[in-house]
Amino acid sequence: MDEHIQADELKSWDNEAQALDDNVRHLVAISAMASANRTSSIATVAQRRLDQLAQTSEKAYFIQQTREVILKMSCLMGTPKSINALTSLMSLVGPNSDLAQELAKVPALRSQANYNYDQMRARGQDLFDGIYGRHAVTVEGKLRGLYPDLAEVVMVDCYGRLLGETRYLDGRDTELCAIGSLVPQDVPSQLKSHCLGAARMGATEEMVQAALRLAKLICTKRP
């Protein structure tokens, strides 16, 4: 069962993650909460950020960023958690509200019309190489050795079609959110890889450590 978020908890998140800008801080927090299955509190965290934004266009942009990060993290935490997280988030958007009308203007990012297998594979390979650096060939080889289909799905669908879409969330911020998503899962090898990947994508050490601290705070059970 999820816990009610107290004001002092939110304040501690701000203090521990000052190296992240306001949107990214909330996105990392939501990534960690979704992965930790604290999905009922995602609406609370998102509403807090919406209350800080003045313009409907700004609110819509943040909601779209959040939808994107939850979708992207589905390849790390699983589709059921992403569905639950999106359900919590979209409960904030009234069906006939100005915010809903603004979101309706957002074009589909992954439709059949903009999907080409070879292009998706190339985009995925570029991102994969950027994240894993000189270790990319070795990591891809290990995946292919486990199951060739796994390597192909990871490259085309996870890195190409999901993580490689950057119109609302670039590679650096996607990797910072990946840190948030991986901390609750107790997968140290993958977490280390994406901490290094975030740095390779342009995150400072302060940003990486802020994302780690924030995710760990969210995973800490209060008495």
Side-chain angles (χ1 to χ4, degrees), residues 6-141:
Q6 304 292 333
D8 60 346
E9 183 179 3
L10 293 171
K11 185 64 176 176
S12 71
W13 296 357
D14 291 341
N15 292 337
E16 292 293 337
Q18 293 181 28
L20 305 176
D21 71 39
D22 289 335
N23 273 17
V24 173
R25 187 184 313 129
H26 285 79
L27 294 174
V28 171
I30 287 169
S31 297
M33 297 182 81
S35 186
N37 210 30
R38 293 185 62 181
T39 50
S40 64
S41 289
I42 287 173
T44 303
V45 175
Q47 185 63 62
R48 181 195 191 223
R49 182 58 184 146
L50 292 176
D51 290 342
Q52 297 168 351
L53 299 170
Q55 303 297 321
T56 300
S57 59
E58 294 175 313
K59 296 175 189 285
Y61 188 83
F62 173 71
I63 290 289
Q64 180 58 21
Q65 279 192 309
T66 309
R67 293 199 296 191
E68 266 295 286
V69 78
I70 292 171
L71 175 60
K72 285 185 172 191
M73 294 305 110
S74 66
C75 68
L76 298 179
M77 66 184 176
T79 303
K81 288 181 178 179
S82 290
I83 292 171
N84 292 341
L86 282 166
T87 300
S88 179
L89 173 71
M90 295 307 292
S91 69
L92 301 176
V93 182
N96 299 310
S97 64
D98 291 343
L99 185 52
Q101 293 177 28
E102 193 71 22
L103 285 168
K105 301 175 185 176
V106 177
L109 304 181
R110 297 173 182 85
S111 66
Q112 183 177 1
N114 58 26
Y115 179 78
N116 175 282
Y117 188 92
D118 291 336
Q119 290 177 356
M120 285 298 111
R121 201 187 193 292
R123 186 168 83 173
Q125 189 76 61
D126 285 345
L127 179 60
F128 190 89
D129 291 349
I131 289 172
Y132 289 97
R134 62 187 177 88
H135 303 291
V137 173
T138 301
V139 175
E140 184 178 354

